[in-house]
Amino acid sequence: MKMKKTAILIVLLCATISVVLSVNDGLLPNGNFEQGPKPSQLKGTRVTNPHAIPHWEISGYVEYIKSGQTQGDMLLPVPEGAFAVRLGEDASIKTRITNFTKGTFYSLSFNFARTCAQEEKLNVSVSPNSEPNDWGMLPMQTMYSSDGWDSYSWGFLAEANEIDIMLHNPAIEKDPACGPLIDFIALKALKNPHRPKGNMLKNGNFEEGPYIFPNTSWGVLIPPNIEDDHSPLPGWMIESLKAVKYIDAAHFTVPEGKRAIELVAGRESAIAQVVITTKGKVYDLMFSVGDASNSCQGSMLIEAFAGQITLRVPYESKGSGGFKRAKLRFKAVSERTRVRFLSTYYHMKSDHSGSLCGPVVDDVRLVGVRHP
């Protein structure tokens, strides 16, 4: 009997360890909201108890939405599974995770769907946080896919081993129930990329980035105006008004490796990195331009910037994959050079879905030229 109890204890301990380790790279506990309130904790769709949703604490007008549910004539989109939550006016959801590694960067990924005509924003934050303005006010007005939802990511530095994660709808609308649908919330620990041999840029192949949900075909958006020290795309800044899309080789065609960036919003979609250079020295910036094999067709044009030099690289896309290499040679005019990429044109998929798309950038390398 004693041996049997010991065996059961070991099994339970192993199961607990497995759960703890999986949180750092994957779905949060009940991050898909499939575990919901009891019927007595609901008034229609509104959740009436702050702790009714397992592993989450709610505040304000929060609704528990079932797949197939309608609002008037509109179907409320539930991205994955059978349930999602909707954050009404000044409503929030919060969870506490206890196995962070202090001093490590993390990305938070989640699915977002608009349910109202008004401009929507989402405030994403963590606590504790020593930086008073280190939170993300993510603009959600633009829908990039035609599925009814998008996947977003946000980066932060863990300042403790136990952290509260909060998603808050700060909007002030006429209808207190009007707000975004949230589903599938996941975490990923990010490695701090070093400059590899033969490349002065960090994460030039974009292999290190936010969590991409498995069994999904729409990638994950990295929102605009994120600095490189908090970006879910380590080493890079999203230097634009609109988001860029992080894509994987499992669902798209990428020029090199397993990850790449798709510039989905024309000139409003840009990435940049600042690198230390020697004034007067000559450098080569080399990169790949292609399409993601996602029905994004037409004449594409990538603009690459380095110092005071601009290179425009045309690419004729058939929407079925492919890429070309390009090189920009320039002379550094200062001790720091900003490398930047954007798409000149706006594109939509040729499948009449209305989804935004664009050229792919990958395998970016910066090297010094000894004998130009």
Side-chain angles (χ1 to χ4, degrees), residues 89-278:
E89 177 188 344
D90 200 29
S92 65
I93 52 172
K94 182 174 71 173
T95 188
R96 177 167 294 179
I97 306 297
T98 59
N99 63 321
F100 282 98
T101 301
K102 187 177 179 180
T104 298
F105 282 96
Y106 290 83
S107 71
L108 186 75
S109 297
F110 58 91
N111 287 341
F112 171 96
R114 289 182 58 204
T115 63
C116 306
Q118 293 90 340
E119 181 176 354
E120 293 182 356
K121 295 181 179 180
L122 192 68
N123 184 5
V124 185
S125 61
V126 295
S127 178
N129 191 349
S130 61
E131 299 181 47
N133 296 321
D134 186 22
W135 41 265
M137 188 67 76
L138 311 186
M140 304 293 187
Q141 182 65 16
T142 301
M143 292 300 298
Y144 293 84
S145 77
S146 60
D147 299 308
W149 58 81
D150 287 316
S151 292
Y152 275 87
S153 62
W154 181 71
F156 65 93
L157 175 68
E159 296 188 5
N161 301 118
E162 184 173 288
I163 288 180
D164 289 336
I165 297 173
M166 178 183 288
L167 282 76
H168 170 232
N169 173 21
I172 300 175
E173 307 288 357
K174 295 180 180 178
D175 182 359
C178 185
L181 271 170
I182 306 296
D183 196 9
F184 258 61
I185 305 177
L187 272 177
K188 181 184 176 184
L190 298 172
K191 297 176 183 177
N192 185 18
H194 300 285
R195 294 180 177 87
K197 186 177 181 179
N199 192 356
M200 297 170 63
L201 295 173
K202 289 183 177 182
N203 200 20
N205 57 3
F206 307 110
E207 294 300 292
E208 192 62 33
Y211 184 81
I212 296 179
F213 295 103
N215 305 318
T216 60
S217 59
W218 50 81
V220 60
L221 295 168
I222 304 176
N225 300 320
I226 290 185
E227 297 297 325
D228 55 347
D229 60 340
H230 292 91
S231 173
L233 186 66
W236 294 90
M237 295 174 281
I238 314 306
E239 195 180 66
S240 52
L241 297 175
K242 302 292 185 183
V244 301
K245 182 174 285 189
Y246 191 59
I247 60 175
D248 62 340
H251 304 97
F252 301 88
T253 297
V254 301
E256 188 269 338
K258 297 180 179 179
R259 303 286 190 269
I261 290 294
E262 184 183 11
L263 301 176
V264 290
R267 302 186 68 87
E268 296 180 285
S269 190
I271 57 172
Q273 184 171 154
V274 177
V275 63
I276 297 175
T277 51
T278 301

Side-chain angles (χ1 to χ4, degrees), residues 309-335:
I309 306 298
T310 303
L311 176 68
R312 292 175 174 85
V313 183
Y315 179 79
E316 197 65 33
S317 173
K318 297 181 180 179
S320 55
F323 69 95
K324 62 188 287 186
R325 292 290 288 172
K327 181 173 74 174
L328 167 60
R329 178 163 290 187
F330 67 97
K331 181 182 288 187
V333 295
S334 65
E335 295 179 351

